[in-house]
Amino acid sequence: LEAVVFIGGVTFQEKVEAIPAAVLVGVAAGLSIGYLLYRGGNSMKLHPFFVGSTCLLLLVAAGLVSKGIQAFEDYHWGQVTGAQSDDEGSFDPRINVWALKCCDPKQPDAGGWQLFNAILGWSNIASYFTIGGYILYWVTVISSLVYLKWNRQAKAFALLSKGSDDSADARPLLRRSGSSDNYADGTGANRSYQPAERVTRNSQGEEIHAGSEDTRG
């Protein structure tokens, strides 16, 4: 993946002599990142890593939605005016919200704006539809995540309210609170547990401590 990114960045703009260096840098970057992920996976906490990578993917998808809508608008405007969709400064003024002269990712000296355009979908030209589609995307994502979390906690609370052995099945559905072994049951209260020793008696009546077991309340 890293090799493709580095090669794609120079293939269409630079000379052929620049491609081997990009290939070497891309392969080295890919191997380095893969090695760090492999070695760090044994010691790092995977939950924050997956949360961060998921947030990054959601941002990338939001940019793709906005860029896709803009592509349709450029095509339609090109059909109306006979201009090319990638002409510099070409946009439909009837639906345009802003058209900044700065921060243009199509300029060769745009620098970081090209990176924002490639990853986050940034554009210096925006319309009602691109902004509305961007907002609608995030409303849909946030609503879906809130519903999934509520549904999971509702199922867990329903299992706990039965007061039977089914409560053990609810524990994986509950949100871990803090670093302790407390579980939120959906009502705002935490249910904690402490290990209790299991005591038995032999034939002479002497107590035998046979380890401990978890009693959850």
Side-chain angles (χ1 to χ4, degrees):
L1 178 62
E2 295 296 332
V4 171
V5 171
F6 277 88
I7 294 173
V10 299
T11 303
F12 302 103
Q13 298 179 359
E14 303 295 337
K15 298 180 180 180
V16 180
E17 292 79 5
I19 296 179
V23 172
L24 294 176
V25 173
V27 172
L31 292 176
S32 301
I33 294 176
Y35 179 78
L36 291 176
L37 290 177
Y38 174 75
R39 298 295 299 178
N42 296 328
S43 58
M44 68 182 296
K45 295 182 179 180
L46 295 180
H47 181 71
F49 171 77
F50 285 121
V51 170
S53 61
T54 301
C55 292
L56 178 60
L57 290 176
L58 291 175
L59 288 171
V60 172
L64 291 176
V65 170
S66 180
K67 291 176 68 175
I69 296 174
Q70 186 180 20
F72 279 107
E73 292 178 352
D74 293 342
Y75 174 78
H76 177 71
W77 182 243
Q79 294 292 318
V80 173
T81 61
Q84 298 295 327
S85 60
D86 58 349
D87 283 350
E88 182 179 355
S90 179
F91 59 89
D92 190 348
R94 298 171 297 180
I95 59 175
N96 181 260
V97 177
W98 69 69
L100 304 177
K101 295 183 178 179
C102 68
C103 317
D104 187 359
K106 295 181 180 179
Q107 297 296 327
D109 57 346
W113 299 111
Q114 291 180 339
L115 183 62
F116 292 154
N117 175 262
I119 298 178
L120 304 178
W122 160 258
S123 177
N124 63 320
I125 300 175
S127 67
Y128 296 112
F129 296 104
T130 56
I131 297 176
Y134 192 86
I135 295 175
L136 180 61
Y137 166 85
W138 282 113
V139 170
T140 303
V141 170
I142 294 172
S143 301
S144 300
L145 294 176
V146 170
Y147 171 76
L148 290 174
K149 182 177 181 180
W150 172 83
N151 188 42
R152 182 180 64 179
Q153 292 185 349
K155 290 181 179 179
F157 180 71
L159 292 174
L160 287 174
S161 62
K162 293 181 179 180
S164 62
D165 294 337
D166 294 338
S167 61
D169 299 332
R171 291 169 190 153
L173 300 175
L174 296 175
R175 176 178 59 83
R176 294 294 296 269
S177 60
S179 59
S180 61
D181 290 325
N182 295 334
Y183 293 81
D185 59 3
T187 62
N190 290 334
R191 302 193 173 202
S192 60
Y193 76 93
Q194 296 293 336
E197 289 187 344
R198 185 170 65 251
V199 180
T200 59
R201 296 179 181 274
N202 56 15
S203 58
Q204 287 78 22
E206 297 177 352
E207 292 184 353
I208 299 176
H209 298 268
S212 62
E213 63 183 26
D214 292 344
T215 58
R216 298 172 185 255

